[in-house]
Amino acid sequence: MTKGKEKQETGWNLDNSYARLPESFYTSLNPTPVCSPELIIFNDPLATSLGLNVQDLQSEDGIAVFAGNQIPEGASPLAQAYGGHQFGHFTMLGDGRAILLGEQITPLDERVDIQLKGPGRTPYSRGGDGRATLGPMLREYIISEAMHALGIPTTRSLAVVTTGESVIRETELPGAILTRVASSHLRVGTFQYVAKWGTVQELQVLADYTVKRHFSEIEADESRYLSLLREVIKRQAMLIAKWQLVGFIHGVMNTDNMTISGETIDYGPCAFMDTYDPATVFSSIDVQGRYAYGKQPQMAGWNLARFAETLLPLLHENQEHAVELAQDEISDFPKLYHSYWLAGMRAKLGIFNEEVEDESLIEDLLSMMQKYRADYTNTFRALTFERHEDTVLFGAPEFAQWHELWQARLGRQQEPETSSHQLMQNSNPALIPRNHRVEAALEAAVKQGDYSVMERLLDVLSSPYAYSPEQAEYSTLPARSTRPYRTFCGT
Ligand code: AMP
Ligand code: MG
């Protein structure tokens, strides 16, 4: 097959700039072929936006690429090396169950990573098998696509295939591979790896590569590495504010799971909060609550401090001065985060202008929600439509008082009520991937081979601000359970 013909047929237009970086940054290797791949789900709109041919990719040859059985032209498959602080402890990690095929150059001339998750062992697999299972890969597909639809920067999911092989976990499970699309897989942990085991020159190569790929606007800055730190801090502040505003709990905010691009990555034990409570933790392994909902901003700040440390040799030749420069930037994170969060909360309440008392108005609402165990998403939804009877806050004396204050506040801005309502509708999702809905979709898919439940769920989640009638049933809460919802890492 000629290159031109292949490009025309499938649309793959791959390069791998990462493979041109120093050899210690990665290991070149091919995925381990699997016996009988089957396409379970394919993301048509994403494929189209990447310049891929939707029909051809779903043919046998197309699917073979998603299974790791065929390498598309232009790919130079590799596993990336990285380190990371896992629950506060630094270790060597790397792509133990992922292989980067290359970077797709899109019709808009953007460069995005195409990575297989679950393609077999790599030199970074340690004791693992390098494989993934169907349930967790579909879960990543559902939640990452829901995040995208919510307007939150995230890696995307292009396809999930089953491999026809079993994977041994606690039980035997169907093996699967997810094709992940990311603006890059550069992580805080990538910098930690090079800072610890590489030379300063290699660190500079990595930083230059990062600037070129993600922050070209600062390329000409005199102190570009300090600008890099500032920009990464800004993107993370924006990202974490968005998480908090929709009640997303990542669950495993280790430094290897924090991207430099500012995209959400690594959908393991993540889940959305129902009842508002800052102490909410879903992950079964987060026994200390290190990554609880209310701690996410603080933990992001901690991770960014680790990132700043890696850049010290590039910030200034005098180490003390370098530390001062880095600390200055890091100390901005809480303020930046808070300003993004506050702006988002104002929007959730239909507020356009700024008043000092807005913060206490917001805090009072959140305290009430916590006290009465109100559902986070549905409370804002009910406020948006003035359907107070839909919230458990309705009837509480302090709610009536709060509501009066809020209405008075809305009266003190020029924008008419209709604009406020529109702002609220655009800022408060009518639905989120409710845990019981996700579980039901996965159960039907994995246990019965019935993908229709998942497909319907994906469909309604694709427009979370539409408030369409068919979405209504997806807003209902699960039956009260005596056991809290738990998530697992999904390896
Ligand atoms: P994660 O918890 O997904 O962030 O992964 C932490 C580390 O464990 C990374 O280096 C992964 O590549 C590695 N890992 C996770 N699952 C597997 C697996 N099944 N086989 C090999 N390595 C794995
Ligand atoms: Mg990870």
Side-chain angles (χ1 to χ4, degrees), residues 12 42-54 57 66 104 106-107 112-114 141 144-145 148 154-159 178-182:
W12 286 119
F42 181 73
N43 194 332
D44 280 24
L46 176 61
T48 304
S49 74
L50 295 175
L52 297 170
N53 183 322
V54 168
L57 281 182
F66 298 131
Q104 171 77 356
T106 72
V112 295
D113 277 8
I114 306 290
Y141 190 109
S144 64
E145 288 306 301
H148 172 73
T154 176
T155 62
R156 305 283 308 272
S157 297
L158 180 61
L178 170 88
T179 302
R180 177 160 72 181
V181 179

PDB file of all heavy atoms in Angstrom, residues 12 42-54 57 66 104 106-107 112-114 141 144-145 148 154-159 178-182:
ATOM      1  N   TRP A  12      -4.849   8.224   8.554  1.00  0.00           N
ATOM      2  CA  TRP A  12      -3.730   8.351   9.487  1.00  0.00           C
ATOM      3  C   TRP A  12      -2.666   9.259   8.868  1.00  0.00           C
ATOM      4  O   TRP A  12      -2.291   9.084   7.711  1.00  0.00           O
ATOM      5  CB  TRP A  12      -3.099   6.992   9.826  1.00  0.00           C
ATOM      6  CG  TRP A  12      -3.928   6.143  10.741  1.00  0.00           C
ATOM      7  CD1 TRP A  12      -4.448   4.916  10.477  1.00  0.00           C
ATOM      8  CD2 TRP A  12      -4.331   6.468  12.076  1.00  0.00           C
ATOM      9  NE1 TRP A  12      -5.165   4.452  11.555  1.00  0.00           N
ATOM     10  CE2 TRP A  12      -5.101   5.384  12.556  1.00  0.00           C
ATOM     11  CE3 TRP A  12      -4.134   7.568  12.926  1.00  0.00           C
ATOM     12  CZ2 TRP A  12      -5.673   5.363  13.833  1.00  0.00           C
ATOM     13  CZ3 TRP A  12      -4.702   7.550  14.194  1.00  0.00           C
ATOM     14  CH2 TRP A  12      -5.451   6.458  14.634  1.00  0.00           C
ATOM     15  N   PHE A  42     -16.722   3.178  18.887  1.00  0.00           N
ATOM     16  CA  PHE A  42     -15.883   4.022  18.052  1.00  0.00           C
ATOM     17  C   PHE A  42     -16.462   5.433  18.057  1.00  0.00           C
ATOM     18  O   PHE A  42     -17.670   5.619  17.964  1.00  0.00           O
ATOM     19  CB  PHE A  42     -15.864   3.444  16.618  1.00  0.00           C
ATOM     20  CG  PHE A  42     -15.004   4.225  15.676  1.00  0.00           C
ATOM     21  CD1 PHE A  42     -13.617   4.156  15.765  1.00  0.00           C
ATOM     22  CD2 PHE A  42     -15.572   5.028  14.696  1.00  0.00           C
ATOM     23  CE1 PHE A  42     -12.811   4.885  14.893  1.00  0.00           C
ATOM     24  CE2 PHE A  42     -14.778   5.753  13.824  1.00  0.00           C
ATOM     25  CZ  PHE A  42     -13.391   5.682  13.922  1.00  0.00           C
ATOM     26  N   ASN A  43     -15.590   6.411  18.176  1.00  0.00           N
ATOM     27  CA  ASN A  43     -16.016   7.803  18.339  1.00  0.00           C
ATOM     28  C   ASN A  43     -15.987   8.525  16.979  1.00  0.00           C
ATOM     29  O   ASN A  43     -14.984   9.135  16.611  1.00  0.00           O
ATOM     30  CB  ASN A  43     -15.069   8.470  19.343  1.00  0.00           C
ATOM     31  CG  ASN A  43     -15.584   9.785  19.851  1.00  0.00           C
ATOM     32  OD1 ASN A  43     -16.323  10.471  19.165  1.00  0.00           O
ATOM     33  ND2 ASN A  43     -15.165  10.140  21.057  1.00  0.00           N
ATOM     34  N   ASP A  44     -17.107   8.456  16.274  1.00  0.00           N
ATOM     35  CA  ASP A  44     -17.197   9.061  14.934  1.00  0.00           C
ATOM     36  C   ASP A  44     -16.820  10.541  14.894  1.00  0.00           C
ATOM     37  O   ASP A  44     -15.972  10.934  14.084  1.00  0.00           O
ATOM     38  CB  ASP A  44     -18.631   8.939  14.381  1.00  0.00           C
ATOM     39  CG  ASP A  44     -18.885   7.563  13.808  1.00  0.00           C
ATOM     40  OD1 ASP A  44     -18.192   6.621  14.226  1.00  0.00           O
ATOM     41  OD2 ASP A  44     -19.790   7.441  12.959  1.00  0.00           O
ATOM     42  N   PRO A  45     -17.455  11.375  15.736  1.00  0.00           N
ATOM     43  CA  PRO A  45     -17.142  12.814  15.616  1.00  0.00           C
ATOM     44  C   PRO A  45     -15.672  13.120  15.908  1.00  0.00           C
ATOM     45  O   PRO A  45     -15.059  13.948  15.227  1.00  0.00           O
ATOM     46  CB  PRO A  45     -18.033  13.479  16.678  1.00  0.00           C
ATOM     47  CG  PRO A  45     -19.012  12.456  17.105  1.00  0.00           C
ATOM     48  CD  PRO A  45     -18.490  11.116  16.739  1.00  0.00           C
ATOM     49  N   LEU A  46     -15.112  12.414  16.899  1.00  0.00           N
ATOM     50  CA  LEU A  46     -13.695  12.653  17.215  1.00  0.00           C
ATOM     51  C   LEU A  46     -12.827  12.223  16.034  1.00  0.00           C
ATOM     52  O   LEU A  46     -11.910  12.943  15.616  1.00  0.00           O
ATOM     53  CB  LEU A  46     -13.294  11.900  18.495  1.00  0.00           C
ATOM     54  CG  LEU A  46     -11.818  11.989  18.881  1.00  0.00           C
ATOM     55  CD1 LEU A  46     -11.391  13.436  19.134  1.00  0.00           C
ATOM     56  CD2 LEU A  46     -11.540  11.147  20.149  1.00  0.00           C
ATOM     57  N   ALA A  47     -13.122  11.041  15.468  1.00  0.00           N
ATOM     58  CA  ALA A  47     -12.349  10.545  14.335  1.00  0.00           C
ATOM     59  C   ALA A  47     -12.378  11.555  13.190  1.00  0.00           C
ATOM     60  O   ALA A  47     -11.347  11.878  12.597  1.00  0.00           O
ATOM     61  CB  ALA A  47     -12.898   9.197  13.873  1.00  0.00           C
ATOM     62  N   THR A  48     -13.555  12.068  12.912  1.00  0.00           N
ATOM     63  CA  THR A  48     -13.696  13.034  11.818  1.00  0.00           C
ATOM     64  C   THR A  48     -12.860  14.281  12.093  1.00  0.00           C
ATOM     65  O   THR A  48     -12.163  14.778  11.209  1.00  0.00           O
ATOM     66  CB  THR A  48     -15.185  13.408  11.628  1.00  0.00           C
ATOM     67  OG1 THR A  48     -15.900  12.199  11.423  1.00  0.00           O
ATOM     68  CG2 THR A  48     -15.389  14.328  10.451  1.00  0.00           C
ATOM     69  N   SER A  49     -12.904  14.763  13.340  1.00  0.00           N
ATOM     70  CA  SER A  49     -12.143  15.980  13.645  1.00  0.00           C
ATOM     71  C   SER A  49     -10.633  15.735  13.551  1.00  0.00           C
ATOM     72  O   SER A  49      -9.863  16.664  13.344  1.00  0.00           O
ATOM     73  CB  SER A  49     -12.513  16.520  15.031  1.00  0.00           C
ATOM     74  OG  SER A  49     -11.946  15.703  16.032  1.00  0.00           O
ATOM     75  N   LEU A  50     -10.225  14.475  13.664  1.00  0.00           N
ATOM     76  CA  LEU A  50      -8.800  14.151  13.549  1.00  0.00           C
ATOM     77  C   LEU A  50      -8.393  13.915  12.090  1.00  0.00           C
ATOM     78  O   LEU A  50      -7.228  13.641  11.799  1.00  0.00           O
ATOM     79  CB  LEU A  50      -8.474  12.892  14.364  1.00  0.00           C
ATOM     80  CG  LEU A  50      -8.642  12.999  15.881  1.00  0.00           C
ATOM     81  CD1 LEU A  50      -8.406  11.644  16.540  1.00  0.00           C
ATOM     82  CD2 LEU A  50      -7.717  14.051  16.464  1.00  0.00           C
ATOM     83  N   GLY A  51      -9.365  13.981  11.202  1.00  0.00           N
ATOM     84  CA  GLY A  51      -9.069  13.766   9.785  1.00  0.00           C
ATOM     85  C   GLY A  51      -9.049  12.286   9.429  1.00  0.00           C
ATOM     86  O   GLY A  51      -8.482  11.895   8.413  1.00  0.00           O
ATOM     87  N   LEU A  52      -9.662  11.460  10.279  1.00  0.00           N
ATOM     88  CA  LEU A  52      -9.657  10.011  10.030  1.00  0.00           C
ATOM     89  C   LEU A  52     -10.912   9.614   9.262  1.00  0.00           C
ATOM     90  O   LEU A  52     -11.954  10.266   9.372  1.00  0.00           O
ATOM     91  CB  LEU A  52      -9.586   9.259  11.360  1.00  0.00           C
ATOM     92  CG  LEU A  52      -8.312   9.516  12.175  1.00  0.00           C
ATOM     93  CD1 LEU A  52      -8.434   8.929  13.571  1.00  0.00           C
ATOM     94  CD2 LEU A  52      -7.094   8.939  11.456  1.00  0.00           C
ATOM     95  N   ASN A  53     -10.787   8.529   8.544  1.00  0.00           N
ATOM     96  CA  ASN A  53     -11.906   8.041   7.758  1.00  0.00           C
ATOM     97  C   ASN A  53     -12.722   7.050   8.596  1.00  0.00           C
ATOM     98  O   ASN A  53     -12.281   5.944   8.900  1.00  0.00           O
ATOM     99  CB  ASN A  53     -11.375   7.358   6.488  1.00  0.00           C
ATOM    100  CG  ASN A  53     -12.503   6.906   5.596  1.00  0.00           C
ATOM    101  OD1 ASN A  53     -13.541   6.443   6.069  1.00  0.00           O
ATOM    102  ND2 ASN A  53     -12.304   7.039   4.304  1.00  0.00           N
ATOM    103  N   VAL A  54     -13.929   7.485   8.917  1.00  0.00           N
ATOM    104  CA  VAL A  54     -14.782   6.740   9.839  1.00  0.00           C
ATOM    105  C   VAL A  54     -15.079   5.322   9.332  1.00  0.00           C
ATOM    106  O   VAL A  54     -15.044   4.357  10.094  1.00  0.00           O
ATOM    107  CB  VAL A  54     -16.073   7.549  10.084  1.00  0.00           C
ATOM    108  CG1 VAL A  54     -17.124   6.721  10.781  1.00  0.00           C
ATOM    109  CG2 VAL A  54     -15.757   8.818  10.863  1.00  0.00           C
ATOM    110  N   LEU A  57     -11.754   2.969   9.113  1.00  0.00           N
ATOM    111  CA  LEU A  57     -11.179   2.583  10.410  1.00  0.00           C
ATOM    112  C   LEU A  57     -11.981   1.482  11.083  1.00  0.00           C
ATOM    113  O   LEU A  57     -11.496   0.827  11.992  1.00  0.00           O
ATOM    114  CB  LEU A  57     -11.080   3.796  11.328  1.00  0.00           C
ATOM    115  CG  LEU A  57      -9.899   4.710  11.029  1.00  0.00           C
ATOM    116  CD1 LEU A  57      -9.866   5.855  12.014  1.00  0.00           C
ATOM    117  CD2 LEU A  57      -8.579   3.951  11.087  1.00  0.00           C
ATOM    118  N   PHE A  66      -6.225  -0.415  16.161  1.00  0.00           N
ATOM    119  CA  PHE A  66      -6.671  -0.176  17.541  1.00  0.00           C
ATOM    120  C   PHE A  66      -6.334  -1.348  18.457  1.00  0.00           C
ATOM    121  O   PHE A  66      -6.337  -1.217  19.674  1.00  0.00           O
ATOM    122  CB  PHE A  66      -8.178   0.087  17.579  1.00  0.00           C
ATOM    123  CG  PHE A  66      -8.585   1.302  16.800  1.00  0.00           C
ATOM    124  CD1 PHE A  66      -9.624   1.251  15.885  1.00  0.00           C
ATOM    125  CD2 PHE A  66      -7.916   2.509  16.978  1.00  0.00           C
ATOM    126  CE1 PHE A  66      -9.994   2.375  15.163  1.00  0.00           C
ATOM    127  CE2 PHE A  66      -8.278   3.647  16.262  1.00  0.00           C
ATOM    128  CZ  PHE A  66      -9.315   3.579  15.351  1.00  0.00           C
ATOM    129  N   GLN A 104      -0.953  12.354  15.582  1.00  0.00           N
ATOM    130  CA  GLN A 104      -1.760  12.592  14.391  1.00  0.00           C
ATOM    131  C   GLN A 104      -1.746  14.096  14.094  1.00  0.00           C
ATOM    132  O   GLN A 104      -1.985  14.916  14.981  1.00  0.00           O
ATOM    133  CB  GLN A 104      -3.202  12.110  14.643  1.00  0.00           C
ATOM    134  CG  GLN A 104      -4.207  12.492  13.570  1.00  0.00           C
ATOM    135  CD  GLN A 104      -4.091  11.616  12.311  1.00  0.00           C
ATOM    136  OE1 GLN A 104      -3.210  10.754  12.203  1.00  0.00           O
ATOM    137  NE2 GLN A 104      -4.961  11.854  11.350  1.00  0.00           N
ATOM    138  N   THR A 106      -3.693  16.824  12.513  1.00  0.00           N
ATOM    139  CA  THR A 106      -5.115  16.949  12.160  1.00  0.00           C
ATOM    140  C   THR A 106      -5.291  17.910  10.976  1.00  0.00           C
ATOM    141  O   THR A 106      -4.364  18.641  10.625  1.00  0.00           O
ATOM    142  CB  THR A 106      -5.919  17.494  13.356  1.00  0.00           C
ATOM    143  OG1 THR A 106      -5.582  18.880  13.519  1.00  0.00           O
ATOM    144  CG2 THR A 106      -5.613  16.744  14.640  1.00  0.00           C
ATOM    145  N   PRO A 107      -6.499  17.923  10.401  1.00  0.00           N
ATOM    146  CA  PRO A 107      -6.745  18.854   9.289  1.00  0.00           C
ATOM    147  C   PRO A 107      -6.512  20.310   9.698  1.00  0.00           C
ATOM    148  O   PRO A 107      -6.225  21.152   8.849  1.00  0.00           O
ATOM    149  CB  PRO A 107      -8.218  18.616   8.945  1.00  0.00           C
ATOM    150  CG  PRO A 107      -8.495  17.233   9.427  1.00  0.00           C
ATOM    151  CD  PRO A 107      -7.638  17.023  10.629  1.00  0.00           C
ATOM    152  N   VAL A 112      -1.790  15.749  17.869  1.00  0.00           N
ATOM    153  CA  VAL A 112      -2.314  15.071  19.066  1.00  0.00           C
ATOM    154  C   VAL A 112      -1.775  13.650  19.178  1.00  0.00           C
ATOM    155  O   VAL A 112      -1.624  12.951  18.176  1.00  0.00           O
ATOM    156  CB  VAL A 112      -3.868  15.030  19.103  1.00  0.00           C
ATOM    157  CG1 VAL A 112      -4.460  16.431  19.219  1.00  0.00           C
ATOM    158  CG2 VAL A 112      -4.444  14.315  17.909  1.00  0.00           C
ATOM    159  N   ASP A 113      -1.499  13.246  20.395  1.00  0.00           N
ATOM    160  CA  ASP A 113      -0.990  11.896  20.653  1.00  0.00           C
ATOM    161  C   ASP A 113      -2.077  10.845  20.412  1.00  0.00           C
ATOM    162  O   ASP A 113      -3.227  11.029  20.828  1.00  0.00           O
ATOM    163  CB  ASP A 113      -0.573  11.757  22.126  1.00  0.00           C
ATOM    164  CG  ASP A 113       0.822  12.286  22.394  1.00  0.00           C
ATOM    165  OD1 ASP A 113       1.411  12.907  21.482  1.00  0.00           O
ATOM    166  OD2 ASP A 113       1.319  12.077  23.521  1.00  0.00           O
ATOM    167  N   ILE A 114      -1.683   9.750  19.792  1.00  0.00           N
ATOM    168  CA  ILE A 114      -2.559   8.593  19.643  1.00  0.00           C
ATOM    169  C   ILE A 114      -1.901   7.464  20.436  1.00  0.00           C
ATOM    170  O   ILE A 114      -0.807   7.009  20.094  1.00  0.00           O
ATOM    171  CB  ILE A 114      -2.709   8.155  18.172  1.00  0.00           C
ATOM    172  CG1 ILE A 114      -3.155   9.332  17.290  1.00  0.00           C
ATOM    173  CG2 ILE A 114      -3.661   6.961  18.053  1.00  0.00           C
ATOM    174  CD1 ILE A 114      -4.569   9.819  17.500  1.00  0.00           C
ATOM    175  N   TYR A 141     -13.878   5.636  28.638  1.00  0.00           N
ATOM    176  CA  TYR A 141     -14.516   6.197  27.435  1.00  0.00           C
ATOM    177  C   TYR A 141     -15.706   7.077  27.841  1.00  0.00           C
ATOM    178  O   TYR A 141     -15.815   8.232  27.418  1.00  0.00           O
ATOM    179  CB  TYR A 141     -14.975   5.052  26.519  1.00  0.00           C
ATOM    180  CG  TYR A 141     -15.423   5.498  25.138  1.00  0.00           C
ATOM    181  CD1 TYR A 141     -14.649   5.223  24.019  1.00  0.00           C
ATOM    182  CD2 TYR A 141     -16.620   6.184  24.956  1.00  0.00           C
ATOM    183  CE1 TYR A 141     -15.054   5.619  22.746  1.00  0.00           C
ATOM    184  CE2 TYR A 141     -17.033   6.586  23.688  1.00  0.00           C
ATOM    185  CZ  TYR A 141     -16.245   6.300  22.592  1.00  0.00           C
ATOM    186  OH  TYR A 141     -16.656   6.695  21.337  1.00  0.00           O
ATOM    187  N   SER A 144     -14.513  10.235  30.148  1.00  0.00           N
ATOM    188  CA  SER A 144     -13.710  11.250  29.455  1.00  0.00           C
ATOM    189  C   SER A 144     -14.554  11.988  28.419  1.00  0.00           C
ATOM    190  O   SER A 144     -14.448  13.205  28.271  1.00  0.00           O
ATOM    191  CB  SER A 144     -12.462  10.638  28.815  1.00  0.00           C
ATOM    192  OG  SER A 144     -12.803   9.717  27.800  1.00  0.00           O
ATOM    193  N   GLU A 145     -15.428  11.267  27.722  1.00  0.00           N
ATOM    194  CA  GLU A 145     -16.278  11.941  26.741  1.00  0.00           C
ATOM    195  C   GLU A 145     -17.309  12.839  27.425  1.00  0.00           C
ATOM    196  O   GLU A 145     -17.635  13.912  26.920  1.00  0.00           O
ATOM    197  CB  GLU A 145     -16.936  10.919  25.811  1.00  0.00           C
ATOM    198  CG  GLU A 145     -15.957  10.296  24.821  1.00  0.00           C
ATOM    199  CD  GLU A 145     -15.174  11.333  24.001  1.00  0.00           C
ATOM    200  OE1 GLU A 145     -15.796  12.129  23.297  1.00  0.00           O
ATOM    201  OE2 GLU A 145     -13.928  11.348  24.092  1.00  0.00           O
ATOM    202  N   HIS A 148     -15.505  15.999  28.336  1.00  0.00           N
ATOM    203  CA  HIS A 148     -15.326  16.838  27.152  1.00  0.00           C
ATOM    204  C   HIS A 148     -16.613  17.626  26.866  1.00  0.00           C
ATOM    205  O   HIS A 148     -16.580  18.831  26.614  1.00  0.00           O
ATOM    206  CB  HIS A 148     -14.932  15.981  25.952  1.00  0.00           C
ATOM    207  CG  HIS A 148     -14.905  16.737  24.668  1.00  0.00           C
ATOM    208  ND1 HIS A 148     -13.918  17.651  24.379  1.00  0.00           N
ATOM    209  CD2 HIS A 148     -15.768  16.758  23.620  1.00  0.00           C
ATOM    210  CE1 HIS A 148     -14.173  18.194  23.196  1.00  0.00           C
ATOM    211  NE2 HIS A 148     -15.280  17.671  22.718  1.00  0.00           N
ATOM    212  N   THR A 154      -9.661  17.609  28.590  1.00  0.00           N
ATOM    213  CA  THR A 154      -9.460  16.190  28.923  1.00  0.00           C
ATOM    214  C   THR A 154      -8.856  15.432  27.749  1.00  0.00           C
ATOM    215  O   THR A 154      -8.993  15.854  26.606  1.00  0.00           O
ATOM    216  CB  THR A 154     -10.824  15.527  29.274  1.00  0.00           C
ATOM    217  OG1 THR A 154     -10.622  14.123  29.497  1.00  0.00           O
ATOM    218  CG2 THR A 154     -11.863  15.686  28.173  1.00  0.00           C
ATOM    219  N   THR A 155      -8.213  14.320  28.060  1.00  0.00           N
ATOM    220  CA  THR A 155      -7.858  13.368  27.017  1.00  0.00           C
ATOM    221  C   THR A 155      -9.175  12.820  26.489  1.00  0.00           C
ATOM    222  O   THR A 155     -10.185  12.846  27.184  1.00  0.00           O
ATOM    223  CB  THR A 155      -7.014  12.210  27.569  1.00  0.00           C
ATOM    224  OG1 THR A 155      -7.793  11.498  28.545  1.00  0.00           O
ATOM    225  CG2 THR A 155      -5.724  12.707  28.211  1.00  0.00           C
ATOM    226  N   ARG A 156      -9.172  12.333  25.250  1.00  0.00           N
ATOM    227  CA  ARG A 156     -10.400  11.827  24.643  1.00  0.00           C
ATOM    228  C   ARG A 156     -10.273  10.328  24.402  1.00  0.00           C
ATOM    229  O   ARG A 156      -9.193   9.759  24.505  1.00  0.00           O
ATOM    230  CB  ARG A 156     -10.647  12.528  23.294  1.00  0.00           C
ATOM    231  CG  ARG A 156     -10.682  14.053  23.341  1.00  0.00           C
ATOM    232  CD  ARG A 156     -11.981  14.581  23.884  1.00  0.00           C
ATOM    233  NE  ARG A 156     -13.172  14.055  23.226  1.00  0.00           N
ATOM    234  CZ  ARG A 156     -13.755  14.582  22.130  1.00  0.00           C
ATOM    235  NH1 ARG A 156     -13.234  15.644  21.582  1.00  0.00           N
ATOM    236  NH2 ARG A 156     -14.845  14.035  21.605  1.00  0.00           N
ATOM    237  N   SER A 157     -11.397   9.723  24.021  1.00  0.00           N
ATOM    238  CA  SER A 157     -11.401   8.291  23.742  1.00  0.00           C
ATOM    239  C   SER A 157     -11.876   8.080  22.319  1.00  0.00           C
ATOM    240  O   SER A 157     -12.987   8.492  21.965  1.00  0.00           O
ATOM    241  CB  SER A 157     -12.319   7.575  24.723  1.00  0.00           C
ATOM    242  OG  SER A 157     -11.827   7.741  26.041  1.00  0.00           O
ATOM    243  N   LEU A 158     -11.026   7.444  21.522  1.00  0.00           N
ATOM    244  CA  LEU A 158     -11.353   7.245  20.107  1.00  0.00           C
ATOM    245  C   LEU A 158     -12.030   5.898  19.862  1.00  0.00           C
ATOM    246  O   LEU A 158     -12.947   5.804  19.053  1.00  0.00           O
ATOM    247  CB  LEU A 158     -10.071   7.361  19.265  1.00  0.00           C
ATOM    248  CG  LEU A 158     -10.209   7.192  17.763  1.00  0.00           C
ATOM    249  CD1 LEU A 158     -11.133   8.244  17.162  1.00  0.00           C
ATOM    250  CD2 LEU A 158      -8.834   7.265  17.085  1.00  0.00           C
ATOM    251  N   ALA A 159     -11.563   4.865  20.531  1.00  0.00           N
ATOM    252  CA  ALA A 159     -12.126   3.536  20.284  1.00  0.00           C
ATOM    253  C   ALA A 159     -11.803   2.601  21.442  1.00  0.00           C
ATOM    254  O   ALA A 159     -10.808   2.791  22.143  1.00  0.00           O
ATOM    255  CB  ALA A 159     -11.539   2.954  18.999  1.00  0.00           C
ATOM    256  N   LEU A 178      -7.976   0.562  24.834  1.00  0.00           N
ATOM    257  CA  LEU A 178      -8.578   1.877  24.578  1.00  0.00           C
ATOM    258  C   LEU A 178      -7.602   2.697  23.747  1.00  0.00           C
ATOM    259  O   LEU A 178      -6.398   2.708  24.035  1.00  0.00           O
ATOM    260  CB  LEU A 178      -8.832   2.584  25.913  1.00  0.00           C
ATOM    261  CG  LEU A 178      -9.240   4.064  25.831  1.00  0.00           C
ATOM    262  CD1 LEU A 178     -10.752   4.200  25.688  1.00  0.00           C
ATOM    263  CD2 LEU A 178      -8.791   4.830  27.066  1.00  0.00           C
ATOM    264  N   THR A 179      -8.083   3.370  22.725  1.00  0.00           N
ATOM    265  CA  THR A 179      -7.235   4.330  22.008  1.00  0.00           C
ATOM    266  C   THR A 179      -7.500   5.703  22.595  1.00  0.00           C
ATOM    267  O   THR A 179      -8.616   6.222  22.523  1.00  0.00           O
ATOM    268  CB  THR A 179      -7.518   4.329  20.507  1.00  0.00           C
ATOM    269  OG1 THR A 179      -7.300   3.000  20.018  1.00  0.00           O
ATOM    270  CG2 THR A 179      -6.570   5.282  19.773  1.00  0.00           C
ATOM    271  N   ARG A 180      -6.446   6.241  23.223  1.00  0.00           N
ATOM    272  CA  ARG A 180      -6.576   7.529  23.913  1.00  0.00           C
ATOM    273  C   ARG A 180      -5.965   8.626  23.060  1.00  0.00           C
ATOM    274  O   ARG A 180      -4.904   8.438  22.465  1.00  0.00           O
ATOM    275  CB  ARG A 180      -5.870   7.424  25.266  1.00  0.00           C
ATOM    276  CG  ARG A 180      -5.867   8.698  26.065  1.00  0.00           C
ATOM    277  CD  ARG A 180      -5.624   8.432  27.531  1.00  0.00           C
ATOM    278  NE  ARG A 180      -4.251   8.043  27.837  1.00  0.00           N
ATOM    279  CZ  ARG A 180      -3.819   7.740  29.070  1.00  0.00           C
ATOM    280  NH1 ARG A 180      -4.669   7.763  30.083  1.00  0.00           N
ATOM    281  NH2 ARG A 180      -2.572   7.405  29.282  1.00  0.00           N
ATOM    282  N   VAL A 181      -6.642   9.740  23.014  1.00  0.00           N
ATOM    283  CA  VAL A 181      -6.161  10.892  22.252  1.00  0.00           C
ATOM    284  C   VAL A 181      -5.874  12.009  23.255  1.00  0.00           C
ATOM    285  O   VAL A 181      -6.713  12.317  24.090  1.00  0.00           O
ATOM    286  CB  VAL A 181      -7.234  11.353  21.237  1.00  0.00           C
ATOM    287  CG1 VAL A 181      -6.757  12.567  20.457  1.00  0.00           C
ATOM    288  CG2 VAL A 181      -7.595  10.215  20.282  1.00  0.00           C
ATOM    289  N   ALA A 182      -4.672  12.573  23.164  1.00  0.00           N
ATOM    290  CA  ALA A 182      -4.311  13.617  24.131  1.00  0.00           C
ATOM    291  C   ALA A 182      -3.522  14.691  23.414  1.00  0.00           C
ATOM    292  O   ALA A 182      -2.812  14.407  22.444  1.00  0.00           O
ATOM    293  CB  ALA A 182      -3.457  13.023  25.251  1.00  0.00           C
TER     294      ALA A 182
END
